[in-house]
Amino acid sequence: LIFLRTGGKDMTLASGDFNPSSRLSETLGKTETTVVVPSTAANGFHGGRGVKGFVPDWYNTIAVKFDHSSPKVNVRQYERDGWSFHGKGLWHKDVNILGSSNFNRRASARDNELSFALNLPVDLSGIIGILK
């Protein structure tokens, strides 16, 4: 995400487990950013037993807090009856990054992640418009 430090415009990031590091939070706050996360009901752990049942609320709390952290950030939640959401990607101008990274603390410090950068123009306006 080094290329984002220049303060570009209009970026969209999707993560099923959004828990950004302070470095990523700082970078995202420098540009107009839409972050797409699952709603509590669309989280894969929704309805889980034991500690897993708390995971959707925990991630939702992080997303709401992040949404209020910068006027340039807009967090949108994906929700559709009977569906879950674990989309992952980053779209910025003609650069699209798709892969296994959740763009969270664990992914940046601990996990082995594989992502692909594609240089293709993408218009996400129709998709973002249907999110709550």
Side-chain angles (χ1 to χ4, degrees):
L1 299 180
I2 301 296
F3 73 96
L4 299 175
R5 290 189 185 170
T6 60
K9 290 180 69 179
D10 302 323
M11 179 174 55
T12 301
L13 180 139
S15 177
D17 301 321
F18 187 67
N19 180 21
S21 66
S22 56
R23 185 175 179 185
L24 178 59
S25 294
E26 181 181 313
T27 301
L28 295 176
K30 292 180 180 178
T31 186
E32 298 291 328
T33 303
T34 299
V35 178
V36 182
V37 298
S39 68
T40 302
N43 187 292
F45 290 105
H46 179 69
R49 294 183 181 172
V51 175
K52 289 181 182 179
F54 294 104
V55 170
D57 289 327
W58 181 68
Y59 279 124
N60 189 54
T61 300
I62 291 169
V64 169
K65 185 176 178 182
F66 186 76
D67 189 36
H68 296 303
S69 70
S70 170
K72 292 185 173 188
V73 173
N74 181 19
V75 174
R76 307 296 293 266
Q77 295 185 1
Y78 176 88
E79 184 170 338
R80 185 171 178 181
D81 286 341
W83 287 48
S84 64
F85 176 85
H86 202 76
K88 303 169 187 181
L90 184 141
W91 299 266
H92 180 67
K93 298 183 183 179
D94 291 343
V95 177
N96 308 282
I97 299 174
L98 306 170
S100 63
S101 180
N102 280 304
F103 303 103
N104 60 18
R105 291 177 188 190
R106 180 179 169 143
S108 66
R110 195 170 163 201
D111 293 344
N112 290 321
E113 302 288 357
L114 179 63
S115 295
F116 296 92
L118 306 171
N119 188 10
L120 301 169
V122 174
D123 180 8
L124 297 174
S125 58
I127 295 171
I128 299 301
I130 63 171
L131 300 172
K132 71 175 199 171

